[in-house]
Amino acid sequence: MRLLIPFFCFLMLSCKVDESDLRDSTWKIYKKNSFEFGDAISFDDMVVKNDTIFLSREPIYEIIEYRNRYFMDEFITIKNLKTQNSATYIKK
């Protein structure tokens, strides 16, 4: 039980999406279920609040999952709020 609580806290902190993690990086497509998503995405002109991504003050994407495997890759799965289609991008 003593090890479970610190592990759970670490897991919760490691899953949090920080806007600086998204900016200034190249994100390439990893998996998509629709052609509406491009081969790469830039979050430089977007604002992240909680799990929503805004462009020009309009919510456009919801962050479904963010995985940061330390010393390896980072993945983000987003869903288009209008079409409900999703795509996963990998940080390069």
Side-chain angles (χ1 to χ4, degrees), residues 37-83:
F37 295 98
D39 292 337
I41 191 168
S42 172
F43 295 98
D44 291 341
D45 296 331
M46 300 180 193
V47 175
V48 178
K49 292 184 182 177
N50 298 325
D51 65 345
T52 305
I53 301 172
F54 294 81
L55 180 63
S56 302
R57 297 182 181 172
E58 182 178 332
I60 56 171
Y61 299 120
E62 178 184 357
I63 299 172
I64 302 298
E65 181 180 21
Y66 176 75
R67 288 180 287 156
N68 182 357
R69 297 186 296 182
Y70 290 100
F71 307 112
M72 296 180 81
D73 301 317
E74 292 180 48
F75 296 90
I76 187 167
T77 303
I78 58 175
K79 176 176 72 171
N80 185 312
L81 293 174
K82 290 182 181 175
T83 64

Side-chain angles (χ1 to χ4, degrees), residues 13-41:
L13 291 175
S14 66
C15 294
K16 184 177 183 241
V17 177
D18 185 5
E19 191 169 353
S20 64
D21 288 340
L22 300 178
R23 293 182 181 270
D24 303 324
S25 299
T26 302
W27 292 86
K28 303 245 177 170
I29 196 70
Y30 182 74
K31 179 174 56 172
K32 62 183 175 179
N33 66 1
S34 170
F35 291 110
E36 70 188 66
F37 295 98
D39 292 337
I41 191 168

